[in-house]
Amino acid sequence: MRRKIFSTMVLVFLGLSGCASIGPRTVTRDRFDYISAISDSWKSQMLFNLVKLRYGDAPVFLDVASVITQTGVQGTLGISGSWWQNPFFSSAGVAATGTYGEKPTVTYLPMSGEKFARSLMTPIPPGAILSFLQAGYPADIVLRLTVHTINGIHSRYGYGARSREADPEFYPLVEKLRNIQQSGQIGLRVKRTGSQTATAIVFGKKFTPAIAADRDEVRKLLGLSLEADEFDVVYGSVAANDKEIALLTRSVLEILTDLSSYTDVPAANVEQKRTFPSPAPEIVNGVPVPPPIRILSSPQKPDDAFAAVPYGQNWYWIDDKDFASKRLFSFIMFLFTLTETGEKQGAPIITVPVG
């Protein structure tokens, strides 16, 4: 009987020792779960603010500043037994109890004050826009979203008092820039003079006849020198000379308000003056210009959505089968993070223990 009790104790302790180190096992699970949760909440927050802007509501952004989780295991083990010489009256018992606990703490940081102004209201530097082009983002989409004018040629803006259609030259311009980009014959050059940094667009030398025609047309539309291949890119409305490209760039807030105008809204909300009517699509060469993003709406929650949020009496979402809208939405989120520079400052900080 003593051997049975001893064997039981050994097995129990071996089992407990096998569970002694649980920390490493939670890393993969926790990292995946928290990344998924933060990513989904980030998409929902961005979409929610786009819809709010469509209805004239103020956007509010809340950063997840930190996630701290504590994991612990507690256990007790009890052994009891009695025996006599008569084997029919011997008895033994083993009792074990354990508890597992996880206590995550999530810290939120509202975006306000200087950080809000810096991240949302500061125009995007022209160099950052060129970096997106260099990274392979389509020139027509990037320029359509991020600039008001290129050497005085206006893009479309669909919100508020500044609402206007694009100039007739704008869409042919960005289309030809896209063709040159796809050929690989446009590049970025950064020039440093002391503490000053300048960015330039450089045209390549190996053009096909079709791409060479597009390059020459871009020069004519922008009023650039027909002989030069390198042009300085600056922030502004008007170029100083024929070897300069002036970009009047937008802030992230302006980009979001423009995109919000593409949100599909119920006709009743327009009739009740809750929001403005959706702008009519632009027509280029007799063909409607497709919207850069489609945000749909319905009274019911959608079944197959890339991101979906409720607002008022309706749901608003991006269809998971709409790849173009998903790609642009992800681009906007990446652009948003690009503008977050400097240390996160300001109060209040909201810390919420979960569980």
Side-chain angles (χ1 to χ4, degrees):
M1 190 64 204
R2 292 190 183 95
R3 286 195 299 269
K4 292 181 179 179
I5 295 176
F6 179 75
S7 300
T8 302
M9 292 175 62
V10 170
L11 291 174
V12 171
F13 280 117
L14 287 175
L16 290 175
S17 64
C19 299
S21 179
I22 65 170
R25 303 181 184 184
T26 65
V27 172
T28 301
R29 181 204 66 191
D30 289 350
R31 174 173 286 187
F32 179 82
D33 290 348
Y34 282 113
I35 285 176
S36 298
I38 292 173
S39 175
D40 290 343
S41 67
W42 188 20
K43 291 191 297 184
S44 297
Q45 177 179 244
M46 182 63 73
L47 180 58
F48 185 59
N49 280 306
L50 283 174
V51 176
K52 290 181 69 177
L53 286 168
R54 184 66 165 84
Y55 283 91
D57 204 347
V60 177
F61 290 89
L62 200 64
D63 288 341
V64 178
S66 67
V67 179
I68 302 173
T69 182
Q70 296 178 337
T71 304
V73 174
Q74 294 179 341
T76 60
L77 175 66
I79 300 176
S80 63
S82 60
W83 57 89
W84 291 268
Q85 292 297 326
N86 187 340
F88 294 104
F89 293 98
S90 62
S91 65
V94 178
T97 60
T99 59
Y100 172 84
E102 183 177 357
K103 298 181 179 180
T105 300
V106 182
T107 302
Y108 300 97
L109 181 63
M111 185 183 295
S112 60
E114 179 185 354
K115 179 172 173 29
F116 182 90
R118 183 178 63 246
S119 298
L120 289 181
M121 303 184 70
T122 303
I124 299 171
I129 295 174
L130 296 186
S131 296
F132 280 116
L133 302 183
Q134 186 73 19
Y137 287 93
D140 51 343
I141 295 297
V142 172
L143 295 174
R144 184 177 174 184
L145 290 178
T146 60
V147 302
H148 284 299
T149 64
I150 307 174
N151 275 15
I153 300 176
H154 286 81
S155 64
R156 179 249 191 211
Y157 193 72
Y159 188 89
R162 297 175 63 183
S163 176
R164 60 162 296 154
E165 292 187 356
D167 288 340
E169 305 91 342
F170 182 78
Y171 289 110
L173 171 65
V174 296
E175 180 184 358
K176 295 179 187 306
L177 284 171
R178 173 62 171 155
N179 293 339
I180 300 171
Q181 180 190 30
Q182 288 180 318
S183 73
Q185 294 303 308
I186 190 170
L188 168 67
R189 177 175 294 175
V190 178
K191 300 181 290 187
R192 303 184 186 277
T193 305
S195 60
Q196 301 296 319
T197 300
T199 308
I201 282 180
V202 181
F203 288 133
K205 301 291 185 181
K206 300 178 180 179
F207 285 98
T208 64
I211 297 301
D214 284 341
R215 176 200 58 189
D216 293 341
E217 186 63 22
V218 166
R219 287 169 168 168
K220 292 178 182 179
L221 289 171
L222 296 179
L224 300 175
S225 168
L226 297 179
E227 288 76 29
D229 290 321
E230 182 173 327
F231 304 93
D232 292 331
V233 180
V234 299
Y235 175 82
S237 301
V238 181
N241 51 60
D242 63 358
K243 294 184 180 179
E244 190 173 86
I245 299 175
L247 300 181
L248 184 61
T249 60
R250 298 174 178 174
S251 66
V252 170
L253 186 59
E254 288 176 317
I255 293 173
L256 296 181
T257 53
D258 180 39
L259 282 178
S260 71
S261 67
Y262 295 100
T263 304
D264 175 40
V265 293
N269 288 352
V270 176
E271 294 171 1
Q272 297 167 5
K273 309 299 182 183
R274 297 181 187 273
T275 185
F276 57 88
S278 298
E282 296 179 283
I283 306 297
V284 176
N285 296 326
V287 179
V289 178
I293 191 171
R294 289 182 172 89
I295 301 175
L296 309 175
S297 67
S298 72
Q300 294 81 30
K301 183 178 181 180
D303 295 328
D304 188 16
F306 174 69
V309 294
Y311 186 86
Q313 303 299 317
N314 294 277
W315 279 86
Y316 298 84
W317 82 94
I318 296 173
D319 194 333
D320 195 48
K321 296 183 290 295
D322 185 354
F323 180 77
S325 293
K326 294 195 301 181
R327 181 179 61 178
L328 185 132
F329 188 77
S330 299
F331 169 73
I332 293 301
M333 294 173 65
F334 183 68
L335 182 67
F336 185 81
T337 62
L338 181 68
T339 63
E340 293 191 50
T341 57
E343 297 181 359
K344 295 185 177 182
Q345 300 175 353
I349 295 178
I350 306 170
T351 302
V352 181
V354 182

